[in-house]
């Protein structure tokens, strides 16, 4: 029996090699994974052109995955630096990389990323339109937008973000809204400008069926972008955001009927007490489709530390059902992240994902914490380093400040509680002098 996409195969109860690989990684029966894909609750982004891919699943009952954004820009056009970031992201075991390049001829870079990285690769074709077509935004035609999308699919990206929920009617409401930050989505702002300049409907929305044809042909997963995501906690969970989510829910069902896998993108900047409601809304409105969140960032006043404000929000989001976390770096809102910013963002996102997995009861998640606790009680430093999300920093801290007693650290020395209790339990003398 033949199939066109992972979703088509799952509907036909065909277990693909990608499903077998993901099931093994997730310690899940392939048959159960296949059922979840068939129900639209799990996706395996796996473009048929991405031959170096080691597939990952995103969705219900699976480990929370993280995505790393990178790419070339006009002000920081350095392909070598971005390729180094790609390798570091792969080495740090990020499950996905999104190429957000937005300047010049980006295809060579995109192809290099696809050929280099075994993780899922995503892109936002909207960012590439001006450079690829050598045309001003307002002069691009509907068919030309499709041309760029198909090129990205041919180049092997596993998922693409398309801001199809921002309709012309919703764009008019944005103009009159009481939002502080209006539209902070880059792709959404470009489409907003195009619609108003051309007095037409969103070209991605009006040509959604043609986009589905392209995605089915290459098995590209759609990540339905939230053009109206809040860029400030003031704007969170307002009528613009919810109306767009309702639009995306309807479009996700059209994609499902077309055998195209779908994720839904979510906020954004959200006050901490609103996060659970946002997760619930997406799951109920969008038939439990995988939810891909940027943060959420829980306060607007910590520039330079938004990897922390994001990790706080992402931990709660993941614990309440978010399936995929887009990392945020300390450079958010300030500049293109450098390599160290990227590393900090990845670690923060991995911590948040793991916190969420503990709450969701993902097999093996809490066991790792228990193993760390045992290693701490045993004062087994090497095992602690092996179990740590980031082993480099704790190793460096330990090496930088050596204690007199090996079974302690320079914080407590011989007064280490673990050392004292172990000696008592083993019947040894507790000598602190």
């Amino acid at each position: 029996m033949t199939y066109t996409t992972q979703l088509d195969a799952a509907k036909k109860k065909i277990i693909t090699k990608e499903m077998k690989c993901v099931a093994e990684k997730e310690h899940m029966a392939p048959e159960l994974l296949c059922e979840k894909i068939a129900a639209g609750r799990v996706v395996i982004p796996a473009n048929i052109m991405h031959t170096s891919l080691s597939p990952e699943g995103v969705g219900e009952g699976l480990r929370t995955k993280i995505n790393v954004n990178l790419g070339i820009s006009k002000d920081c056009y350095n392909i070598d630096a971005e390729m180094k970031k790609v390798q570091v992201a792969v080495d740090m075991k990020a499950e996905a990389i999104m190429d957000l390049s937005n300047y010049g001829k980006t295809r060579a870079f995109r192809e290099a990323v696809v050929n280099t990285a075994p993780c899922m690769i995503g892109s936002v074709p909207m960012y590439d339109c001006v450079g690829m077509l050598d045309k001003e935004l307002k002069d691009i035609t509907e068919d030309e937008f499709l041309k760029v999308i198909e090129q990205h699919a041919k180049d092997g990206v596993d998922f693409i973000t398309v801001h199809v929920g921002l309709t012309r009617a919703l764009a008019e409401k944005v103009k009159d809204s009481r939002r502080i930050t209006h539209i902070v989505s880059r792709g959404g702002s470009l489409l907003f400008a195009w619609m108003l300049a051309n007095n037409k409907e969103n070209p991605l929305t009006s040509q959604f069926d043609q986009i589905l044809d392209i995605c089915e042909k290459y098995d590209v997963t759609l990540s339905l972008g939230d053009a109206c995501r809040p860029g400030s906690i003031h704007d969170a969970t307002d009528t613009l955001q919810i109306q767009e989510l309702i639009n995306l829910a309807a479009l996700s069902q059209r994609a499902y009927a077309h055998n195209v896998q779908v994720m839904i993108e979510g906020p954004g900047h959200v006050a901490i007490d609103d996060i659970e409601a946002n997760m619930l809304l997406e799951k109920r409105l969008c038939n439990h489709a995988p939810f891909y969140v940027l943060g959420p960032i829980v306060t607007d006043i910590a520039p330079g530390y938004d990897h922390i404000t994001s990790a706080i929000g992402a931990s709660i989001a993941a614990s309440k059902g978010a399936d995929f976390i887009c990392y945020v770096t300390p450079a958010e809102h300030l500049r293109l992240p450098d390599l160290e910013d990227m590393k900090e963002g990845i670690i923060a996102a991995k911590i948040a994902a793991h916190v969420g997995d503990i709450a969701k009861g993902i097999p093996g998640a809490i066991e790792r914490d228990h193993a760390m606790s045992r290693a701490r009680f045993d004062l087994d430093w090497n095992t602690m380093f092996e179990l740590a999300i980031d082993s480099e920093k704790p190793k460096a801290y330990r090496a930088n400040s050596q204690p007199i007693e090996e079974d302690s650290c320079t914080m407590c020395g011989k007064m280490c509680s673990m050392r004292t209790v172990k000696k008592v339990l083993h019947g040894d003398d507790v000598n602190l002098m």
Side-chain angles (χ1 to χ4, degrees), residues 12 38 46-48 58 60 88 104 110 123 141 165-166 186 199 230-231 253 274 276 302 350 382 389 418:
K12 295 173 179 175
N47 189 323
I48 60 173
V58 178
E60 184 181 84
V88 171
R110 184 166 56 254
S123 71
T141 68
L166 179 62
R186 190 190 314 170
N199 195 28
Q253 288 305 299
D274 264 1
E276 183 176 1
K350 287 172 77 75
N382 289 330
I389 283 178
M418 303 294 189

Side-chain angles (χ1 to χ4, degrees), residues 154-432:
K154 284 181 180 177
D155 291 342
V157 299
D158 302 297
F159 63 99
I160 59 171
T161 293
V162 288
H163 298 90
V164 290
L166 179 62
T167 61
R168 178 63 195 278
L170 195 55
E172 291 296 331
K173 291 180 181 178
V174 170
K175 289 165 56 180
D176 300 324
S177 77
R178 295 182 180 178
R179 282 189 161 199
I180 294 176
T181 51
H182 298 286
I183 295 178
V184 297
S185 159
R186 190 190 314 170
S189 68
L190 294 173
L191 287 165
F192 179 74
W194 187 93
M195 282 188 276
L196 296 185
N198 289 278
N199 195 28
K200 289 184 177 180
E201 180 57 273
N202 181 339
L204 305 187
T205 308
S206 62
Q207 301 213 99
F208 190 59
D209 288 333
Q210 291 91 321
I211 293 173
L212 293 178
D213 288 338
I214 294 169
C215 290
E216 184 180 31
K217 180 178 178 181
Y218 296 95
D219 199 359
V220 173
T221 298
L222 278 180
S223 188
L224 300 185
D226 52 339
C228 292
R229 70 172 180 264
S232 62
I233 58 175
H234 172 275
D235 299 343
T237 325
D238 67 355
T239 55
L240 294 177
Q241 180 193 332
I242 301 307
Q243 181 58 61
E244 184 180 30
L245 183 61
I246 292 169
N247 293 346
L248 295 182
L251 292 164
S252 70
Q253 288 305 299
R254 282 172 60 185
Y256 178 84
H258 210 100
N259 291 326
V260 173
Q261 299 183 102
V262 172
M263 298 183 286
I264 307 293
E265 294 187 15
H269 292 233
V270 180
I272 199 166
D273 56 329
D274 264 1
I275 293 174
E276 183 176 1
N278 273 262
M279 301 307 109
L280 228 92
L281 276 169
E282 185 277 341
K283 289 296 180 179
R284 291 192 177 178
L285 291 175
C286 301
N287 198 33
H288 295 268
F291 201 14
Y292 175 25
V293 296
L294 176 63
I297 290 173
V298 294
T299 178
D300 300 329
I301 63 168
Y305 299 92
D306 277 326
H307 60 311
I308 297 174
T309 61
S310 164
I312 294 168
S315 298
I316 297 169
S319 73
K320 300 301 180 182
D323 307 288
F324 196 16
I325 296 170
C326 186
Y327 90 150
V328 174
T329 77
E332 186 78 9
H333 306 109
L334 301 170
R335 69 173 190 193
L336 186 77
D338 64 18
L339 190 60
E340 289 307 309
D341 295 328
M342 188 190 80
K343 288 180 180 178
E344 289 292 314
I346 290 174
I347 296 302
K350 287 172 77 75
I351 292 169
H354 182 70
V355 169
D357 287 349
I358 292 172
K360 288 188 283 194
I362 299 298
I366 202 166
E367 285 77 11
R368 184 174 173 183
D369 289 72
H370 294 338
M372 176 65 87
S373 298
R374 285 189 286 269
R376 281 185 174 145
F377 185 73
D378 292 337
L379 300 169
D380 182 349
W381 305 102
N382 289 330
T383 299
M384 286 186 239
F385 299 150
E386 289 171 7
L387 290 167
I389 283 178
D390 171 28
S391 63
E392 291 182 13
K393 182 175 276 191
K395 281 181 181 177
Y397 277 8
R398 176 77 178 165
N400 188 50
S401 186
Q402 287 289 322
I404 297 171
E405 303 292 336
E406 177 59 26
D407 59 349
S408 66
C409 76
T410 54
M411 177 72 175
C412 299
K414 280 190 172 184
M415 288 190 182
C416 169
S417 60
M418 303 294 189
R419 185 176 185 272
T420 298
V421 172
K422 280 185 72 175
K423 284 185 175 293
V424 172
L425 293 177
H426 292 162
D428 298 333
D429 183 33
V430 180
N431 185 344
L432 303 179

